[in-house]
Amino acid sequence: FASTAAATTTTTPTATTTLPSIIPSPSSSSSSSPPSPKLWHLALAGGLATVLGDAIVHPVDCIKTLQQSDEGSTLDFIQASHLIHQQFGIPGFYRGLGTYLIADGGGGSLKFLVYETLKSWYQQQSEKDNNTNHNNDHNNREQSSPSSGPDPLPRWVLFASAAVAFVVSSVVSVPGEFLKQQLQMTHYASLQEAIQMTARDGISAFYTGYQGVLLRDVPYTMLELGLYDCIKTAAAAATMKKRGEVLGNHHIQQTTTDTQNNDHNNDTALLSSSSSSSSSSSSSSSAVAPPRDVSSSINDIMAAAMTGAIAGFVTTPLDTIKTKLMVDHYHSFIEAWLSSSTSVFAGATARVAWLVPFTAIYLPLFDAIQKWLLEFEEKNNTNASTDTIQRGTETKTKQQQQS
């Protein structure tokens, strides 16, 4: 027993002992990428998220449209709200909502479908190139560390994918945007009248102001989707780093305490070693549990709100010009710009107040719906596989009994 105690004393770990393997690290994670969502997942999630976000903040959008038009360019947020309520009551804040939900919902489906598809395509090409480089150098491959999963996408890929995604989605969303603003400004009494009167000038009439839409929404979408992904990725990395530092400090303190106890009484240390190890392992296990969905969701919402505030304010001048092209019948971007050179930030407060809650709702909601659809399908596939195995087992059992 004494010799065992002595041996234990000489092998006692010091405070500089490396962290236990229970600490998660990139190399300990699975090297395989998570399953890619199906195209209809992306389209459905993008459409639902966009429709819900639009419906919630549409009243603020009506106020913004009035402020940016020639008719309401001198009104502040409160005055514009009062004028709409005075003339049309509560329904006035929802004029043009139906057509906008249909068109923007379809546009949202296309936008997220194209954006996520382009990101996935670039990620796959990058992984293929990396695998090719490793295969060409066998020694480097053997000496390299285990894969830590896919690398973050370059920022230019995010912004370029967002630009292409909006251009594709604009084919569907712009006619709805045009009709919505015609109804918001009461140029027509009903959607049917708006469509009939606009159709007289041909299909191109539904794309009135398209130049302004592209000049506004290409940079806006680049900021909206690209900046959101950048902020969300940075927040997740900071959270993981903080969690690792807390766990590291906890383990060092625990190891130092164990060392002092062993030096004080070797015999007692032998008896308490298993208990201390079990306690340390238990506390460490709880410390390294995956981050809660609630915490992750809060980070996503904050990232989306920041994105909406920045992107909305920066692109307000372009939004003002786009509105004038659609509702005040200017013939060119330059003409609309010159007419509002002193009021290009008209409606900035309403635009930011509209986009902050909108992006805070629909960007995280897209992620949540997409994740739910993927988990739902995986669960159904698992259940189907289990049922198939059970039926096969039952059939085999019956055949054996009959034979």
Side-chain angles (χ1 to χ4, degrees), residues 258-272:
D258 290 346
T259 302
Q260 293 173 349
N261 289 338
N262 287 335
D263 291 339
H264 177 72
N265 192 332
N266 289 331
D267 293 343
T268 305
L270 280 174
L271 297 175
S272 64

Side-chain angles (χ1 to χ4, degrees), residues 176-195:
E177 173 82 5
F178 172 77
L179 292 173
K180 176 201 72 171
Q181 293 201 319
Q182 298 301 309
L183 294 171
Q184 285 177 333
M185 296 302 298
T186 66
H187 290 174
Y188 302 102
S190 66
L191 175 61
Q192 182 179 1
E193 180 186 354
I195 294 175

Side-chain angles (χ1 to χ4, degrees), residues 6 42 44-45 80 92 110 140 142 187 196 228 232 241 269 295 298 342 357 365 369 381:
L42 299 173
L44 180 60
L110 282 176
N140 288 342
E142 289 184 342
H187 290 174
Q196 290 175 346
Y228 172 63
K232 186 171 64 171
K241 181 179 179 182
S295 177
I298 291 175
T342 59
L365 186 60
I369 295 175
N381 291 340

Side-chain angles (χ1 to χ4, degrees), residues 47-359:
L48 289 176
T50 303
V51 165
L52 183 58
D54 285 339
I56 292 175
V57 299
H58 189 75
V60 184
D61 184 39
C62 290
I63 298 170
K64 173 192 72 72
T65 298
L66 175 60
Q67 286 185 282
Q68 291 179 337
S69 67
D70 287 347
E71 179 182 342
S73 59
T74 60
L75 303 176
D76 61 24
F77 186 86
I78 301 300
Q79 291 171 336
S81 304
H82 178 70
L83 180 60
I84 293 174
H85 186 269
Q86 186 180 40
Q87 292 182 346
F88 308 105
I90 297 298
F93 292 99
Y94 292 93
R95 295 181 66 88
L97 176 60
T99 181
Y100 189 55
L101 292 184
I102 295 173
D104 205 41
S109 295
L110 282 176
K111 181 170 68 175
F112 282 105
L113 174 61
V114 173
Y115 179 65
E116 295 294 337
T117 300
L118 289 176
K119 285 167 53 181
S120 298
W121 176 83
Y122 182 88
Q123 186 74 64
Q124 292 171 1
Q125 296 302 313
S126 179
E127 291 176 356
K128 288 180 181 178
D129 292 341
N130 290 337
N131 291 336
T132 301
N133 293 335
H134 283 304
N135 290 333
N136 291 337
D137 192 341
H138 182 74
N139 293 331
N140 288 342
R141 185 180 70 251
E142 289 184 342
Q143 295 174 1
S144 63
S145 59
S147 173
S148 59
D151 296 328
L153 290 172
R155 290 185 177 89
W156 72 265
V157 173
L158 300 176
F159 294 127
S161 299
V164 174
F166 174 75
V167 173
V168 173
S169 69
S170 66
V171 176
V172 174
S173 62
V174 169
E177 173 82 5
F178 172 77
L179 292 173
K180 176 201 72 171
Q181 293 201 319
Q182 298 301 309
L183 294 171
Q184 285 177 333
M185 296 302 298
T186 66
H187 290 174
Y188 302 102
S190 66
L191 175 61
Q192 182 179 1
E193 180 186 354
I195 294 175
Q196 290 175 346
M197 296 299 292
T198 304
R200 292 180 179 181
D201 298 325
I203 297 297
S204 61
F206 290 96
Y207 290 88
T208 300
Y210 187 62
Q211 178 188 20
V213 173
L214 289 180
L215 290 173
R216 177 198 69 172
D217 281 341
V218 167
Y220 171 78
T221 306
M222 292 171 67
L223 289 174
E224 178 193 54
L225 298 182
L227 193 59
Y228 172 63
D229 269 350
C230 289
I231 295 176
K232 186 171 64 171
T233 300
T239 300
M240 293 302 297
K241 181 179 179 182
K242 183 177 180 180
R243 184 176 293 107
E245 291 175 350
V246 170
L247 180 58
N249 292 335
H250 168 80
H251 175 71
I252 291 174
Q253 294 173 358
Q254 183 67 39
T255 304
T256 303
T257 301
D258 290 346
T259 302
Q260 293 173 349
N261 289 338
N262 287 335
D263 291 339
H264 177 72
N265 192 332
N266 289 331
D267 293 343
T268 305
L270 280 174
L271 297 175
S272 64
S273 175
S274 60
S275 175
S276 175
S277 175
S278 175
S279 175
S280 175
S281 178
S282 175
S283 61
S284 297
S285 298
S286 62
V288 300
R292 295 179 300 173
D293 289 341
V294 173
S295 177
S296 178
S297 298
I298 291 175
N299 288 340
D300 290 351
I301 292 172
M302 293 178 62
M306 291 175 59
T307 298
I310 296 172
F313 182 79
V314 169
T315 59
T316 293
L318 299 175
D319 185 50
T320 300
I321 303 305
K322 187 275 306 177
T323 298
K324 290 185 176 297
L325 287 171
M326 283 190 167
V327 304
D328 294 328
H329 307 295
Y330 288 96
H331 298 293
S332 68
F333 182 88
I334 299 300
E335 182 185 359
W337 176 272
L338 292 176
S339 72
S340 59
S341 58
T342 59
S343 59
V344 290
F345 278 94
T349 300
R351 180 166 169 79
V352 172
W354 166 49
L355 286 173
V356 167
F358 174 71
T359 52

